[in-house]
Amino acid sequence: MNRLVKLYHQMGSPPFFYRVCGLFAPWFLILALALTAWGLIDGLFYAPIDYQMKDAYRIIFVHVPAAWMSLFIYLAMGIAGIMAYVWRMKVAEAVMMASAPIGAAFTVISLATGMLWGKPMWGTYWDWDARMTSQLILLFLYIGVMAIYASYSQDTRKAARMAALVAIIGIINLVIIRYSVYWWSSIHQGASISMTEGSSIRDWDMLRPLLVMAIATKFYYLYSLCQRARVFLLETEKNKQWVHKTLQEKTHA
């Protein structure tokens, strides 16, 4: 327990977090690329054809992991927002703001692929049902966090606190997205995989590439988070001695 507490405090230190991210980021990228290649090749070429949707169903190997990540990243951003708002941790601010554009990108991918999937599945690209609408609101929340931060660019600490407040309030939308298909009438199907209700995908040859892609997207998030958070810390801590020392070391390397 003491080691975990010590690690927590160490990770809250901007220079320590910067170094750790620099150490692990390349490995996260390698794992993300390798797993993405495996998942896409497995899903697009080796997974069996669906008896109802034929080959059109293969878009789930991109759509479902992207949708999962849009929620996962917002939750991570919201937790970081709580830490930034309550304890004013610089690293939490970095994680929160680094997560926002990554989560927004995954949300756009989930919406775009969902529309492409919806046309053959439901006969329409878009329907204002609860799941689709709440997912679109999620995108607006990501954009809102980034816009709020940008609007207070002269005072980065105040900008982070205001952005954190938006991120925290938006967490309630995650619950709405998760249970929207059960609370309201929806053309959208329920969860493909559930820890409590089991999986609607019974064929392991279909499920395997989906799980591989889900893991791949998480490693990509970690890689992108590390890179963006490092840049954020260099910009917001530019007057600190550790930043000058780090930049000097890079110059002489």
Side-chain angles (χ1 to χ4, degrees):
M1 180 61 70
N2 291 334
R3 289 182 178 180
L4 291 176
V5 173
K6 182 180 178 181
L7 179 61
Y8 170 79
H9 287 292
Q10 286 179 324
M11 291 299 289
S13 167
F16 183 85
F17 184 84
Y18 182 90
R19 291 194 299 271
V20 170
C21 280
L23 180 65
F24 285 100
W27 295 103
F28 291 149
L29 178 60
I30 292 171
L31 288 170
L33 292 175
L35 290 170
T36 299
W38 176 17
L40 288 178
I41 292 172
D42 195 14
L44 297 178
F45 298 105
Y46 293 99
I49 297 175
D50 184 76
Y51 74 98
Q52 286 183 320
M53 293 188 61
K54 306 302 179 185
D55 282 323
Y57 90 96
R58 298 183 192 277
I59 201 169
I60 71 169
F61 300 123
V62 176
H63 171 71
V64 173
W68 287 343
M69 287 305 297
S70 68
L71 303 180
F72 176 83
I73 294 174
Y74 195 94
L75 180 61
M77 186 178 73
I79 293 173
I82 293 172
M83 297 172 70
Y85 191 85
V86 176
W87 294 291
R88 302 191 179 188
M89 293 176 60
K90 278 284 186 72
V91 170
E93 294 174 7
V95 170
M96 177 182 65
M97 295 314 304
S99 296
I102 311 170
F106 274 113
T107 307
V108 169
I109 294 172
S110 71
L111 288 169
T113 53
M115 291 170 66
L116 293 175
W117 189 14
K119 183 61 175 177
M121 187 72 172
W122 306 311
T124 180
Y125 287 110
W126 185 265
D127 185 270
W128 291 97
D129 79 333
R131 172 61 63 85
M132 295 181 187
T133 304
S134 54
Q135 187 73 5
L136 182 61
I137 292 173
L138 183 67
L139 176 60
F140 293 152
L141 285 168
Y142 276 122
I143 295 173
V145 168
M146 292 185 285
I148 288 292
Y149 186 86
S151 65
Y152 291 93
S153 57
Q154 300 301 319
D155 186 349
T156 57
R157 301 314 304 274
K158 183 177 180 180
R161 282 179 62 81
M162 297 301 295
L165 190 60
V166 175
I168 294 168
I169 294 173
I171 291 176
I172 191 172
N173 190 53
L174 301 183
V175 180
I176 295 174
I177 294 174
R178 174 64 179 84
Y179 293 102
S180 58
V181 294
Y182 305 108
W183 291 346
W184 297 284
S185 176
S186 174
I187 64 173
H188 199 286
Q189 70 184 61
S192 300
I193 300 176
S194 172
M195 298 296 292
T196 57
E197 301 172 6
S199 172
S200 61
I201 303 176
R202 303 296 182 182
D203 193 325
W204 173 244
D205 290 331
M206 291 182 178
L207 184 60
R208 182 183 58 247
L210 186 61
L211 294 177
V212 170
M213 287 297 294
I215 297 172
T217 51
K218 285 179 174 57
F219 277 118
Y220 173 76
Y221 166 60
L222 290 174
Y223 162 74
S224 188
L225 173 67
C226 283
Q227 296 296 79
R228 290 177 179 275
R230 277 161 60 90
V231 173
F232 180 93
L233 289 173
L234 288 180
E235 291 177 348
T236 56
E237 297 266 288
K238 59 186 177 182
N239 295 323
K240 297 296 180 64
Q241 184 176 357
W242 75 267
V243 173
H244 294 297
K245 183 179 179 180
T246 299
L247 294 178
Q248 288 176 356
E249 290 174 353
K250 287 185 175 182
T251 302
H252 297 298

